[in-house]
Amino acid sequence: MEAPNIAIDIGQLKNGDIDESLYSRQLYVLGHEAMRRMGSSHVLIAGLKGLGVEIAKNIALAGVKSLTLFDPEPARLSDLSSQFFLHPEDVGRPRAAVTAPRVAELNAYTPVTVHPSDSLIRDLDELRQYQVVVLTGTPLKDQLIISEFCHKNGIYIVIADTFGLFASIFSDFGTQFTISDATGENPLSGIVADIDSEGLVSALDETRHGLEDGDYVTFSEVQGMEGLNNAEPRKITVKGPYTFSIGDVSTLGEYRRGGLYTQVKMPKIVDFQSQSEQLKKPDLLMSDFAKFDRPLQLHIGFQALHAFKKAHSHLPRPHNQEDASDVFRKAQALADQGNDTVELDEKLLRELSYQAQGDLSPMAALFGGLAAQEVLKAVSGKFHPILQWLYFDSLESLPISVQRSEQLCKPLNTRYDGQIAVFGRDFQDKLTNISEFLVGAGAIGCEMLKNWAMIGLGTGPRGKINVTDNDQIEKSNLNRQFLFRPKDVGKLKSDCAAEAVQAMNPELKGHIVTFRDRVGSETENIFNERFWDTLDGVTNALDNVDARQYIDRRCVFFRKPLLESGTLGTKGNTQVVLPRLTESYSSSQDPPEHSFPQCTLRSFPNRIEHTIAWAKEKFHQYFVGPPETVNLYISKPDYISKMLRQSGNEIPTVEGIRDFLVTKKPTNFDDCIVWAREQFEKEYNNAIQQLLHNFPKDSTTASGAPFWSGPKRAPDPLKFSSSDPTHLGFIIAAANLHAFNYGIQGGSDVTRDHYLRVMNDMIIPEFSPNPSVKIQADDNEPDPNAPQNGSSGFGDDDDLEKLISELPPRKSLAGFKLEPVEFEKDDDTNHHIDFITSASNLRAQNYAIAEADRHKTKFIAGKIIPAIATTTALVTGLVVLELYKVVDGKDDIEQYKNGFVNLALPFFGFSEPIASPKGKYLSKYGEVTIDKIWDRFEVDDVTLREFIDDFDSRGLDIQMISSGVSLLYAAFYAQAKRKDKLPLKLSELVETVSRTKIPDHQKNVILEITADDQTGDDVDLPHSSRDTGMMATDGKDQVLLLRLGKEKHSSASIVHAENNPLTPQSASLNLFEAFLRSSHYQFAFQMASSSPTPITQWADKQSGAFHRAPSQFRNVISKQPGAEFPPEKGRYHLYVSYACPWAHRTLIVRKLKGLEEFIPYTAVHWEMLEKGWRFVDPNENLPGDNVTPDPIHKGFTHLRDIYFKVSPDYAGRFTVPTLYDIKQGKIVSNESSDIIRMFYTEFDDLLPAKSKDVDLFPKDLQSEIENTNEWTYPDINNGVYKAGFAQAQDAYEKAVTTLFASLDRAEAHLEKHAAPYYFGQNITEADVRLYTTIVRFDPVYVQHFKCNIRDIRSGYPALHKWLKHLYWDVPAFKDTTQFEHIKKHYTKSHKQINPASITPVGPIPNILPKDEEVRAVATALTSTGK
């Protein structure tokens, strides 16, 4: 790739134009208007040590009219602690003269000069040429002189200082400063459902409007109150989440229908006070709410430092007690002068004195980003400025592992003296001997490397920095990734970044290693165990969640601390992940990305985002999908016979292949123009005419309401016009992209007249709507054009064979290949964004939607992340402040800070990281506490028998062992099958079952086990959670590490992660991996099916204890784009048993969430024998809805038939519920806890507001619900089974006593809270999960499972009241409860418990009426007055 000639670009740009290819990401933060204002502004920066050069760098990258630097002082060696544009050879030369040309290299659009004076206060009138003056490192007396002049003359001023781990900033933008946009958030908009006579506006479909009191809105397209349309903005008062008031509308008539509201950003006027006024009575912005008392103390302390320097001509000496005492005395004197009493913390102010000569790169980065953003606010009016002081400290970063003293902190005449003054030389030595891994060398990566170079990270004899990035540098990177220059465009980021920081600090030479590889499962041979073992820590500088989660998993596996950060425009966040202290990055997840309903995109768009998404889809349908399909047909001999027939959409696919290879194959560029013109007619005229034929503009719904109302906008067909640039733009872009597919030359050489000549020669046939075409009117309705189950597409086999016969033989296409288009948003010459922009805007013209320019379209279609250098610099500063703590080895979680900032507001929020969850189990030697994320067992390559025996000696009874998706061992296997496996070494077992050799580079294999401890319960150890975002299995999987190629030890060892994360070679590998989103090595799932254990045998023959096997299908329905199982009406079928409490959960939630029309279900017969659940015969008549033969698979008699259809080698249990994907013929999930949580949220976009608002897992109760699940599942839901299926007296007694102790606990909870539901006034998951066991308790579990210490109706009054309320008052519970199924299933299917299959008559009734109690209870309640 050739580097762009920036000088030529400047010459080509018109006056006031903005180079969007350079500033694209920043433009999405600031906007064109703010950028234009910046482009006419002149800025002066005084003081060019670390803080000043950071500000200069950020402003130069942002782009202003001119940037002037002032600092005549000679550079010192200590400046190199943070001044990255100074080199050792610059010592003694004026800082400004040396720095200016290096800042100028950052942006050719921003000229950089040196202020022509050696004093700013000698001639203050020279400052009139600047719009903003920035002061750093300036004496307070000079600050006051300059700031007073600026305040009186309308010059904006920003003053910033750092002293070690302390910093401050002051802003004064004069009087009547106008803020055009205080937040930078996109204006909110919505559709009006109603406006009443009092001016109350209701949003359509109860959509949350998101507005706040005092906001302003405008209206358009309102019918009946036309006076609102395009009128002056109206101030609103919020009345509720879906309503707001606009005041008096009495003169506007009566509202009829329609309308859009749009938020208007109104200017805000702010009056600033001068610095002299603010020194006396400061307005303080809080930077850390945990340090509420510090800002005012630091306000006084900073003045005391200036007073000290004025008296002594130097700042206090590092850690000098005498100087610190003097500073504190001066602070006390200043505090006594004020009107308000300020209580000073002597320790705090002495620390300020100790660090006064400190100069830290991360503090310069943090406040350099903050101050530069204030400058941009001043010149652009965009975002809210600081009012007016902000103080900050990071004293938690001070080391506790080394000593600090005056002797240890004194200058050594090195480049690190500014850092040694704060931390001491011993800590400096620690920093230099760290081995750190930086993943990513983009914007955050560049800033991170700069900071590391300044602090000397990895420069010692044992130190090293590893950096990897597989991306090449693009022109748009130059605006934020400041280590790169135009000459670097096209080169690899990791190489160029490493070269740049070695120039900044030559001591890095030989200590920085670059990789050009993406870190992922495919490069584990490069980033292998040996590589990870050498690391002390990892820092992420990534821009996507998947990559972050992979690195997070590896850090958990190798027990390495991880520093995580990210930015989004003016927002930034940081997170610290520490072994055995904190949760991991993957412990929490962002909400899924919002997607648009397909029906909206296809036929009923109402926002420009809809038309852009549609255009992006057309881009793929035209230029990506068909060429890829053609290439598959050419290259795969069995494509038609095997691969295609599995897709279920054969005929349209074969038609596409035929069109691209035969009927519509172009031979020259003119044919491509013709094709493009045909697509215009098809999409923007014919399709719209067909839509209006199906739904005329005057059509109504079944209720009589206008069909084209609310979100449905009636379209109009377009007539092609060559004079419309959007029309012609579509033809040009589409023709060029079609030509690209075929390798036909097009491009800029084709003139406009040529396009017109070709199109003028075309004959466009008149379109007549087809009355047989059906169009889906609503996403809640089935798609009439969707392939039916079992069909091959839109035709029969004869039609398909006829189409196939029209395809050219593959042999005739030897050497022919189409070129699919690979979407690239940042190449302005490739027609990609041009096509999407024109295609989207043409559709917007159809529907009278406001069009979007190319810039906005590129942002939305390209999913561009807005970015600006100021936020990036600030965030990396925060990360390095945390790095200091990690290097120090702090083990107090309260000393660490996760941060969130928003420079636009501005807002700063800090919190301590969330601690990693802990668990316990009972071994033979007592209770063992483990960390659910960071602990694991480590075991050598012993035999399976040795492995099981060793764990048995520790009191852990292994039930299952798996690796990846391969089940290696299960206690329920037949004896013969277990016998064959026991002599195998674990590595042999893995390779045998998976049929895959363990790679040579792999030294460890992750195993997962399910085990019981001495209590007989599932061990509450780390969940094995797949990459689904859903709950883990009800059983708990314990994670082990199998060490390969090691000497055999006598037994497995439980290894606990150490708390000193960055001590080189400090410990062996970490232990429990909580988030196994991808295993260290994935295996194919294979299980032998010979001699299966009977399906009705659940109890272990040796111990007599019952063990529930975990579910084996754990996929999820997800709203996220590209999900394998997206939410669709009628696509999924639920198989249940009315008898099964786990399946019962799903029926209740299905009804509570209003999913009856979306997810049909079939209930099996209550009988379950050796072949598992069976379907009823056609002539059987059982109570309950949908107890029928399988409606999807004709002839299937048992649920197992579906399992074998999906997986012929399946050897697990055939359980209900089973959620089946009709379209793909796959089982989504057979885990009830996962299924109900899918039902909670994943269909919400398709549901009416009433159902959408049902929240069974509310955020404010999630932790309480999870805590309740943790004991109700093993002790009650599963506890009845443990008692009932126990085959030994001690196992039974243990289970039944635990069960009733937990019932007592639930009773006490309900009695204490006295609410209708378990957690108050609303139904939650806790009610659903508990109900299905309690409703079965008296009719079945009391006698059948011998749970007869008490029954519910006579022994638990609060539980009984709660149960009756749910059954009698909530239809979702009563309508899904079928007692005949329940009683007959247990008593007639469990022949090992009830060989004669006799079903007891009682209790009568199965559940008492709501207001009735058993006689003894009624008497007791009467006597107590209840």
Side-chain angles (χ1 to χ4, degrees), residues 498-548:
E499 182 181 345
V501 294
Q502 287 177 82
M504 290 178 175
N505 185 354
E507 293 181 18
L508 272 175
K509 291 180 179 178
H511 293 275
I512 186 164
V513 179
T514 61
F515 296 87
R516 303 155 188 83
D517 307 280
R518 177 183 176 272
V519 184
S521 56
E522 70 278 9
T523 57
E524 287 181 4
N525 61 321
I526 299 171
F527 305 105
N528 53 26
E529 283 92 340
R530 189 177 299 106
F531 171 83
W532 281 89
D533 285 345
T534 65
L535 300 178
D536 296 317
V538 181
T539 301
N540 267 351
L542 294 163
D543 61 359
N544 70 90
V545 172
D546 289 343
R548 286 176 167 135

Side-chain angles (χ1 to χ4, degrees), residues 1000-1022:
D1000 292 338
H1001 67 81
Q1002 185 176 335
K1003 305 304 178 188
N1004 303 286
V1005 174
I1006 291 177
L1007 304 180
E1008 301 169 56
I1009 69 169
T1010 302
D1012 289 353
D1013 66 2
Q1014 294 296 287
T1015 68
D1017 290 337
D1018 297 337
V1019 178
D1020 188 13
L1021 293 176

Side-chain angles (χ1 to χ4, degrees), residues 1300-1342:
F1300 277 90
S1302 295
L1303 287 172
D1304 293 343
R1305 183 176 176 182
E1307 173 76 7
H1309 172 88
L1310 288 168
E1311 189 175 51
K1312 177 181 178 182
H1313 292 87
Y1317 304 110
Y1318 199 87
F1319 282 116
Q1321 300 302 313
N1322 296 302
I1323 298 172
T1324 67
E1325 179 181 282
D1327 297 288
V1328 174
R1329 290 174 61 124
L1330 188 59
Y1331 170 86
T1332 59
T1333 297
I1334 302 303
V1335 79
R1336 287 164 171 76
F1337 201 89
D1338 288 6
V1340 172
Y1341 299 149
V1342 169

